[in-house]
Amino acid sequence: MNENKTNINWYPGHIAKTRREIKENIDLVDLVFELVDARMPISSRIVDLDDLIKDKPKILILTKYDLCDTLETNKIIDYYKDKGYVVLPLDLSGNTNMKVVFDEVENITKSLNEKRLSKGLKARTPRAMVLGVPNVGKSTFINRITNRKSTVTGDKPGVTKTISWIRINNNLELMDTPGILWPKLENNIHAHNLALLSSIKEEIMDLEDLSKYGLEVINELYPSYLENRYGYKYDDFVEYLDIIGKKRGCLLKGGLVDYDKVYSIILNDIRSGSLGKITLDRV
Ligand SMILES: Nc1nc2c(ncn2[C@@H]2O[C@H](COP(=O)(O)OP(=O)(O)O)[C@@H](O)[C@H]2O)c(=O)[nH]1
Ligand SMILES: [Mg+2]
């Protein structure tokens, strides 16, 4: 891969606090929904999440499955399944039936209540927590599995604050605030993929570098996409910016190309799937 030399070392300050809160409250839940982006199921994972959630059962949800290159993403799904993970690829934008989610939840939690009953304890509704990087689809996922009858149930005190639970049905309650995490960016390619697709841009690297990385990685993995979209084969970065700028009318007074506009066109085309379906990770 044509690796960009820019090093990304971004770690938002509030993440340390979230990590602490997750650690403190993990005992309140029976399972975890770990959300990753199907276009980068490796880059968008929180590398040490399993330490954070101890031995809680978890369901790995691959969001934005509609935007990914299923051929490549399915290889990664198989890789995770081989590791013993429960994996569910989902298109949260469409009308995908969420029953698969509840079926997996039931698989995981039915033994929990059998155990409670056998110990003479009352059965109780299993509780879950949703975790993932910004923009992966946490809110969308929560909305999709929450039906109109859902109610926010009585508050149960967590360690650091009072936690509300959304009662989804008899088999599931959801912590009402998802945990927003961000990985330590130790792998520079993963960091670039995250910056490119999770729409966290300005804070993390400048738009010129990010656009360059985006064009180069697409040109390498999906060589036909750029020519199909912009009419020319990709060769030289600056030349290509000029081509896109002129084609899309991103011109300043005097006819100079407005590069900031070109960057936002490129990034938006990549993120929205306008270039085509992409998966940046490989196993
Ligand atoms: N195409 C597509 N878009 C999605 C999917 N899931 C989420 N999105 C979009 O991704 C963006 C971020 O989603 P959001 O739920 O706000 O992410 P959060 O930051 O993790 O809560 C929104 O524009 C969603 O509409 C999906 O499965 N497919
Ligand atoms: Mg959200």
Side-chain angles (χ1 to χ4, degrees):
M1 180 167 303
N2 195 343
E3 196 182 338
N4 196 304
K5 292 290 180 296
T6 313
N7 251 300
I8 304 179
N9 262 317
W10 189 64
Y11 197 73
H14 59 87
I15 299 293
K17 182 164 166 270
T18 311
R19 290 176 63 93
R20 205 164 52 238
E21 285 174 1
I22 292 168
K23 249 189 184 145
E24 286 165 355
N25 294 316
I26 191 69
D27 288 334
L28 298 176
V29 304
D30 302 297
L31 80 149
V32 168
F33 291 108
E34 178 185 357
L35 271 55
V36 298
D37 187 323
R39 298 168 300 173
M40 45 169 181
I42 299 172
S43 300
S44 61
R45 285 199 70 193
I46 310 299
V47 183
D48 60 346
L49 187 89
D50 290 341
D51 295 339
L52 208 57
I53 66 172
K54 299 184 208 164
D55 51 0
K56 290 294 163 185
K58 93 184 161 190
I59 300 177
L60 192 62
I61 305 274
L62 268 61
T63 62
K64 313 198 186 189
Y65 193 61
D66 55 307
L67 298 177
C68 81
D69 167 359
T70 50
L71 187 74
E72 292 300 332
T73 294
N74 288 350
K75 290 182 198 165
I76 301 172
I77 291 175
D78 289 342
Y79 163 79
Y80 282 143
K81 283 186 173 168
D82 285 346
K83 289 176 78 155
Y85 293 175
V86 176
V87 187
L88 288 179
L90 292 174
D91 167 10
L92 298 172
S93 72
N95 284 321
T96 316
N97 192 338
M98 292 291 131
K99 185 173 180 296
V100 283
V101 175
F102 296 110
D103 288 348
E104 285 301 345
V105 168
E106 205 181 324
N107 270 342
I108 288 176
T109 56
K110 65 174 178 258
S111 64
L112 262 162
N113 272 328
E114 282 161 11
K115 252 187 233 155
R116 290 181 65 84
L117 291 170
S118 74
K119 283 191 204 156
L121 296 167
K122 274 196 283 186
R124 60 148 213 234
T125 306
R127 297 185 197 130
M129 187 189 268
V130 174
L131 302 176
V133 298
N135 287 313
V136 70
K138 295 177 295 298
S139 304
T140 311
F141 173 72
I142 293 172
N143 284 337
R144 287 298 314 275
I145 64 168
T146 308
N147 59 43
R148 267 171 296 123
K149 284 183 228 132
S150 309
T151 47
V152 175
T153 61
D155 294 345
K156 300 189 175 75
V159 177
T160 50
K161 62 175 181 205
T162 300
I163 292 171
S164 313
W165 301 84
I166 308 166
R167 190 175 184 91
I168 308 283
N169 58 31
N170 285 337
N171 298 316
L172 188 61
E173 280 185 5
L174 216 55
M175 199 176 277
D176 81 335
T177 21
I180 304 163
L181 291 167
W182 190 254
K184 293 234 166 70
L185 300 174
E186 277 154 7
N187 177 313
N188 209 31
I189 292 175
H190 293 176
H192 279 76
N193 292 343
L194 260 173
L196 187 63
L197 295 183
S198 69
S199 326
I200 316 271
K201 33 188 193 332
E202 294 80 7
E203 304 95 320
I204 194 173
M205 70 187 276
D206 80 53
L207 296 180
E208 179 183 342
D209 288 345
L210 198 55
S211 303
K212 186 161 192 280
Y213 174 73
L215 289 174
E216 286 176 353
V217 78
I218 298 295
N219 186 45
E220 181 178 319
L221 299 177
Y222 302 99
S224 63
Y225 284 9
L226 296 179
E227 192 177 0
N228 289 347
R229 180 83 179 164
Y230 305 119
Y232 290 88
K233 273 201 166 56
Y234 182 77
D235 179 30
D236 176 76
F237 176 60
V238 178
E239 225 169 67
Y240 214 68
L241 296 180
D242 289 337
I243 289 171
I244 297 172
K246 281 174 193 145
K247 201 178 160 80
R248 298 293 189 83
C250 309
L251 300 174
L252 298 164
K253 274 187 203 140
L256 292 172
V257 171
D258 183 345
Y259 290 109
D260 285 335
K261 273 211 181 113
V262 179
Y263 301 146
S264 75
I265 285 177
I266 293 168
L267 295 174
N268 188 56
D269 280 355
I270 295 173
R271 289 169 178 161
S272 66
S274 303
L275 291 178
K277 295 177 190 249
I278 56 170
T279 295
L280 301 183
D281 291 328
R282 295 289 181 270
V283 271

